[in-house]
Amino acid sequence: MTDRSLDGVSLVVSGRLPLREIALCVSALIALCFLPSLLSGYWLRVLISVAALVVASLSVSLLFAQLGMVSLAQFGLLGVGGWFALRISHGIGAPFELALLTGGAAAALVGLVVGLPALRMRGLYLAIITLMMAGAIQVLISAFGFPDGGTGILGKSTGSRVMMARPFLAQSDPAYFRYAVVITALCYLVVLAHLRGRPGRAWAMIRRGEVCALAGGVHIVAYKVWAFALAGFLAGVAGGLLAGGVGQLDGSAFPASQSIMLFALTIVGGAYSWLGPIIAGLLLRAFPALLNEFHVDGNIATMLFGIGLLHALMTAPQGIAGQLADMVQAVARRFKREGRAPS
């Protein structure tokens, strides 16, 4: 395992779960039970979008933290997942779970295509190519359009728009918020299972050096493609969650610039920490919504994000999550020293 992998992976591998992590899990469950009743409908919809974008940020973090690869097509893959989920739901009336998995599978296949250039290049060249693919995805989605409740896979309605059907157990906004959080947690578990197993060890060796990985018997092509397929699946699931929360998606809502923003905020949040994608999702949706609540132009958030990215690149490569972890450790050490000090 690399020294810069997602936080918490070493805990899973060693089988140890400190009391701090148990307390955090219990607190999260309590918040999940009572938080929806304290929020307005507007903020519930915002947090549903945040949950979807956390999964999308997790896909970016997976590629960057484990393989050191920059993919600027993940928001486009989110659009692919949402497009297919909506088509299946409106076209054949499939259950939400089936539509969600279909969107994830479709995005995984497109992610394989996006990942093919990674077999021969990385760094700036890979970033440029994936950005061009994100633009191509946007053009195709805009050309075909998102479904609006018409009959058939590509049908269009002539009357009122029909929203995508939500899961049977999550019809209301509070219930769907809990559903989205559970799906987000399952996506985290899928990533942690990969990092704990053979793929995680292979990715760690590839990141340290492909020559080292070849000497260790790692099939570099297979594991790189695997990583891009998994990242595409996560982005597709995020698109399906977003489609279920909103009911409809706009074909113009997935520009390549949003893929750049998603990657930048993943770095700002902390690509090497499990907390980083959560911070990125909050910054991408909740922070602009909070500015709007105070009648401040939400576009100002873009300026602040740029400053945050410069700060992360120059002084805080571990992002906000890393800084929070350092702060907690510093406070803990201080209390420990004061506890040992003679009275």
Side-chain angles (χ1 to χ4, degrees), residues 105-170:
L109 291 176
V110 178
L112 285 175
V113 177
V114 172
L116 290 179
L119 303 180
R120 292 187 173 273
M121 60 185 66
R122 56 191 304 157
L124 178 62
Y125 298 103
L126 178 62
I128 292 174
I129 289 179
T130 54
L131 182 62
M132 292 174 61
M133 290 185 176
I137 291 172
Q138 165 64 36
V139 171
L140 290 175
I141 288 177
S142 298
F144 284 97
F146 277 83
D148 56 3
T151 59
I153 297 295
L154 301 177
K156 294 287 183 179
S157 65
T158 56
S160 60
R161 301 178 70 184
V162 179
M163 299 293 103
M164 179 181 183
R166 286 182 174 180
F168 176 74
L169 298 176

Side-chain angles (χ1 to χ4, degrees), residues 299-311:
N299 292 323
I300 295 179
T302 304
M303 299 170 52
L304 298 178
F305 294 157
I307 296 173
L309 181 60
L310 288 175
H311 171 68

Side-chain angles (χ1 to χ4, degrees), residues 13-14 46 63-64 75 85 88 123 156 158 207 270-271 297 313 321 326:
V13 174
S14 63
V46 168
L63 293 173
F64 186 75
F75 207 89
I88 293 298
K156 294 287 183 179
T158 56
R207 182 178 176 87
D297 188 357
L313 293 176
D326 293 340

Side-chain angles (χ1 to χ4, degrees), residues 45-136:
R45 289 188 290 273
V46 168
L47 291 183
I48 288 171
S49 298
V50 168
L53 292 173
V54 167
V55 179
S57 178
L58 182 61
S59 71
V60 176
S61 178
L62 172 68
L63 293 173
F64 186 75
Q66 300 305 312
L67 289 171
M69 292 188 172
V70 177
S71 174
L72 299 180
Q74 296 308 111
F75 207 89
L77 295 178
L78 184 147
V80 171
W83 192 87
F84 273 90
L86 282 167
R87 291 295 180 192
I88 293 298
S89 177
H90 284 170
I92 63 176
F96 182 83
E97 289 75 15
L98 179 59
L100 191 66
L101 291 175
T102 301
L109 291 176
V110 178
L112 285 175
V113 177
V114 172
L116 290 179
L119 303 180
R120 292 187 173 273
M121 60 185 66
R122 56 191 304 157
L124 178 62
Y125 298 103
L126 178 62
I128 292 174
I129 289 179
T130 54
L131 182 62
M132 292 174 61
M133 290 185 176

